[in-house]
Amino acid sequence: MFGNTNSNQAVGGSVSRFIDAPATKWLLIINVVIFFIDVAGAGRDSWGRLTPLAAFTIDSTFEHFQLWRLLTFQFLHGGLGHLFFNMFAIYMFGGIVERVMGTRRYLAYYLLCGVAGALFYSLLVKLGWLGSGVLVGASAGIFGIIVALIVIAPDMQVMLLFPPIPMKMKTLGMVMLGIGAYTVLTTGN
């Protein structure tokens, strides 16, 4: 969907996406490691998965006071494709935002965006707009990164992979946020 970003102009010519972006690197590593631990069957449920122990559900999180799920669900993924696209987005945009915000603020912001996503999901379920289910993935944190990047560098040029056309970050961000909102409100996936 998106490929080359002109991040060197936005952050002063960094050669690597991970220079001055250790949280972004560790988010990628932790997400991938947890995914493979999960699919290898390291959990304690009957399928050997971590998802029942760490995924966000309204019942387990709020009615059974398992508040850690507000954080842990952000590191679980529903499949290899889900993991790939989420990690690709963090790889493409996370380092830019981290260098501008600083590592601690970036990490806190990213995790709080994930928590906000779970809380907003809970509100949509309570209002009857969505059915209750299991929530996993880094998408809310990634949408937070995209919003921050729209604010930080709205005119940054991004080259889409398919179709290969240049686009400003503010345009790409609004399109991605629109698709995300449409998906959640129509199917819940």
Side-chain angles (χ1 to χ4, degrees):
M1 185 165 160
F2 36 82
N4 185 23
T5 61
N6 220 351
S7 62
N8 290 345
Q9 292 175 359
V11 296
S14 295
V15 175
S16 168
R17 291 191 188 278
F18 301 123
I19 290 177
D20 298 325
T24 298
K25 177 176 70 174
W26 281 105
L27 284 171
L28 292 168
I29 291 168
I30 291 167
N31 274 283
V32 170
V33 167
I34 288 176
F35 176 78
F36 285 108
I37 288 171
D38 188 24
V39 298
R44 293 194 172 105
D45 76 332
S46 59
W47 295 285
R49 300 290 305 264
L50 297 170
T51 303
L53 302 171
F56 177 86
T57 65
I58 295 170
D59 177 55
S60 60
T61 304
F62 298 119
E63 294 176 23
H64 293 99
F65 303 108
Q66 298 174 358
L67 298 179
W68 65 83
R69 292 173 181 264
L70 288 165
L71 293 175
T72 57
F73 87 94
Q74 299 178 54
F75 297 95
L76 298 171
H77 288 83
L80 197 55
H82 186 209
L83 175 75
F84 174 78
F85 285 108
N86 278 346
M87 296 308 98
F88 185 65
I90 291 173
Y91 172 77
M92 293 302 296
F93 303 122
I96 300 168
V97 174
E98 182 177 357
R99 280 187 284 281
V100 172
M101 294 179 86
T103 298
R104 287 182 190 210
R105 279 194 291 166
Y106 165 76
L107 187 57
Y109 173 76
Y110 172 84
L111 293 172
L112 286 173
C113 286
V115 171
L119 296 176
F120 186 64
Y121 165 79
S122 300
L123 176 66
L124 293 177
V125 169
K126 214 48 156 162
L127 293 172
W129 292 5
L130 290 178
S132 186
V134 176
L135 193 62
V136 295
S139 298
I142 291 166
F143 282 122
I145 290 172
I146 291 168
V147 168
L149 198 51
I150 291 170
V151 172
I152 292 166
D155 295 323
M156 179 176 74
Q157 289 291 314
V158 179
M159 180 64 75
L160 300 182
L161 293 175
F162 183 77
I165 57 172
M167 186 178 290
K168 288 186 177 184
M169 187 62 219
K170 62 185 171 191
T171 305
L172 175 64
M174 293 301 181
V175 168
M176 290 176 66
L177 292 170
I179 291 170
Y182 175 78
T183 301
V184 167
L185 293 174
T186 58
T187 66
N189 295 321

